[in-house]
Amino acid sequence: MMLFNKTKRIQYLGFNDMWFSVVGILILSLSTDYIFNNSFQSYPLALAFYSWGASLIITICDWLIIRWILIFLRKKYPDFSDDVKRIVIFFLAIVTTIFVVDYVGGHSIQYIYRLLGKNANYFTQLKVLLPVTLVTIMIMAIYEAMYYYVRLKKSIREEEQTKQVMIQAQLDTLRNQAQPHFLFNSLNTLRDIIDQDSKEDAKGFVDNLSNVYRFILESGNTNLIAVEKELKFAKAYVYIQSERFGDNLQMNWNVPENKLTSMIVPMSLQLLIENAIKHNIVSRAKPLIITVTIKDDFLVVHNKIQTKSTKVPSTKIGLKNIEQRYALITNKLPEITSDGIQFTVSLPLLKLSDQKKNYANTNH
């Protein structure tokens, strides 16, 4: 039975109402007795208990019937869209139940008490039933408030879980997008090395490329990574590019040790370096100098703009990918500036506490 099944009580009522029912029945029965007869002020103690007993029996009947109707209506109208209809029907059911139970139960109790030679003095009057009805509605409103709160919390939790699934899918898509992009550019570099350098240089490049891809695979399911690890990956990538460009590609690394434990989006630094190489002249006459430094809790990457005479078609994967991943993870977004002379991208340094709430459980 629902009355003794805790799991079902919580399912349909929103909470375990055992003690709430006991206390509610006592309060309602005492209130009813006070409104009807004020027995404990008007009668001797023994008779007062008999009179209150009549109110208690009626109250128990009212409570159990109304509670059953409440559960029945919640099973029949479980959706938020049905709330108004369900509450109106429930309100009418409360009024009807109180009047019917009071009339039938009151007269039945009087008859039984008379057979026992007791006088319960139980009678029905409209002017006293109205406040009883109001008190009952107020108590039942607590049931509704608790039920609404529990359903709302469950709905929000399910919505957040859905968002987490969607966010994880988006992040996986972006990560998978960045990795082939890196491989494509690396293979182009390898082709140039094969054309220009010896087979030994090509073999060395492939060895380093395999090490870099080992890093990518190991961090492939990570949405945030320590600056120290990202720097290690970026430097390995720069080493690979140096096989192609030699001293024409110069890097200035200026990252203090106390910032190495801060976190950024994986492959973001590498993508910025890759973009700089792709869109700028890298030659002996115009060496490309890329500076990586820390400023105001940002990892800043900037280089002098050295536009190529023939523009390389842009897939717009690099910057857009980084911006989208940061936007999914945190409210702190990258800053991109260009004054025609210098191109600068500032990546926010993050902590775990900087993550969005609905993102917190999307880490693998």
Side-chain angles (χ1 to χ4, degrees):
M1 288 180 63
M2 181 77 68
L3 185 63
F4 302 105
N5 191 318
K6 179 181 177 180
T7 302
K8 289 190 176 294
R9 287 201 305 271
I10 294 175
Q11 178 183 353
Y12 293 108
L13 298 173
F15 66 108
N16 183 4
D17 73 329
M18 180 63 75
W19 286 108
F20 181 77
S21 294
V22 172
V23 174
I25 288 171
L26 288 174
I27 292 174
L28 192 56
S29 63
L30 289 170
S31 300
T32 302
D33 179 76
Y34 176 79
I35 294 170
F36 273 74
N37 300 314
N38 193 13
S39 300
F40 291 95
Q41 294 292 328
S42 305
Y43 308 128
L45 187 60
L47 185 57
F49 270 106
Y50 277 114
S51 181
W52 170 64
S55 295
L56 180 63
I57 294 171
I58 295 295
T59 301
I60 291 173
C61 292
D62 280 334
W63 190 283
L64 294 180
I65 293 172
I66 291 171
R67 186 177 176 278
W68 179 86
I69 294 172
L70 174 69
I71 294 170
F72 172 80
L73 291 174
R74 287 180 180 178
K75 288 181 179 179
K76 187 173 179 63
Y77 303 109
D79 298 330
F80 279 105
S81 58
D82 295 325
D83 278 359
V84 174
K85 183 195 299 183
R86 178 174 52 78
I87 290 172
V88 170
I89 295 173
F90 186 47
F91 170 79
L92 295 175
I94 290 174
V95 175
T96 303
T97 300
I98 289 175
F99 276 79
V100 171
V101 170
D102 186 86
Y103 181 82
V104 175
H107 285 78
S108 299
I109 288 172
Q110 276 191 332
Y111 177 75
I112 294 170
Y113 276 24
R114 283 173 186 158
L115 291 177
L116 296 173
K118 306 294 183 181
N119 181 18
N121 198 28
Y122 195 95
F123 59 92
T124 300
Q125 291 185 20
L126 181 61
K127 66 179 181 180
V128 291
L129 279 181
L130 287 177
V132 171
T133 303
L134 290 175
V135 172
T136 305
I137 291 174
M138 290 172 62
I139 293 176
M140 290 299 152
I142 298 175
Y143 271 112
E144 282 299 321
M146 291 294 295
Y147 185 56
Y148 181 83
Y149 170 75
V150 170
R151 284 192 304 157
L152 183 61
K153 189 166 72 170
K154 180 182 178 183
S155 176
I156 293 173
R157 183 171 61 250
E158 290 174 348
E159 184 179 352
E160 291 299 320
Q161 289 172 347
T162 301
K163 285 182 181 178
Q164 288 171 7
V165 171
M166 292 175 63
I167 288 171
Q168 189 61 60
Q170 288 175 292
L171 285 168
D172 289 343
T173 299
L174 290 169
R175 279 196 300 262
N176 293 335
Q177 180 190 66
Q179 292 172 16
H181 180 64
F182 169 76
L183 178 60
F184 173 78
N185 285 281
S186 298
L187 291 175
N188 281 339
T189 302
L190 177 59
R191 182 190 62 188
D192 293 338
I193 291 174
I194 292 172
D195 290 340
Q196 299 172 14
D197 301 322
S198 67
K199 290 184 179 179
E200 291 302 318
D201 290 334
K203 288 180 181 179
F205 178 90
V206 171
D207 289 339
N208 280 286
L209 181 61
S210 67
N211 290 333
V212 168
Y213 245 88
R214 185 179 296 110
F215 172 86
I216 292 175
L217 293 173
E218 288 174 354
S219 62
N221 288 330
T222 303
N223 297 328
L224 286 177
I225 193 170
V227 169
E228 183 178 17
K229 292 184 178 180
E230 180 69 11
L231 278 174
K232 185 178 179 181
F233 169 53
K235 287 179 180 179
Y237 171 76
V238 170
Y239 177 86
I240 291 173
Q241 294 301 318
S242 296
E243 292 290 325
R244 175 183 176 187
F245 295 107
D247 293 336
N248 299 334
L249 175 62
Q250 299 176 20
M251 296 294 304
N252 292 331
W253 306 97
N254 184 20
V255 180
E257 287 191 12
N258 64 336
K259 296 296 182 180
L260 294 178
T261 55
S262 299
M263 308 188 84
I264 60 173
V265 168
M267 295 183 66
S268 54
L269 177 57
Q270 178 270 325
L271 281 172
L272 293 179
I273 295 171
E274 182 179 318
N275 267 8
I277 295 172
K278 179 179 179 181
H279 295 291
N280 291 278
I281 295 172
V282 186
S283 66
R284 183 175 299 176
K286 286 188 175 182
L288 178 63
I289 302 173
I290 303 173
T291 300
V292 179
T293 187
I294 298 290
K295 183 179 180 181
D296 298 330
D297 288 328
F298 282 87
L299 180 68
V300 181
V301 181
H302 65 87
N303 61 272
K304 185 179 178 181
I305 297 174
Q306 301 175 172
T307 308
K308 294 180 178 179
S309 56
T310 303
K311 286 191 174 182
V312 179
S314 176
T315 60
K316 298 187 182 297
I317 287 179
L319 288 176
K320 186 176 180 181
N321 183 288
I322 295 169
E323 288 178 315
Q324 286 179 332
R325 283 193 284 166
Y326 263 98
L328 288 170
I329 292 170
T330 179
N331 292 319
K332 297 181 178 181
L333 302 180
E335 298 176 1
I336 303 171
T337 58
S338 175
D339 58 7
I341 300 175
Q342 292 282 337
F343 185 81
T344 304
V345 179
S346 301
L347 301 176
L349 298 178
L350 303 176
K351 302 174 183 177
L352 292 178
S353 58
D354 293 324
Q355 298 176 101
K356 291 181 179 177
K357 185 178 179 181
N358 59 5
Y359 163 79
N361 294 324
T362 61
N363 289 289
H364 287 205

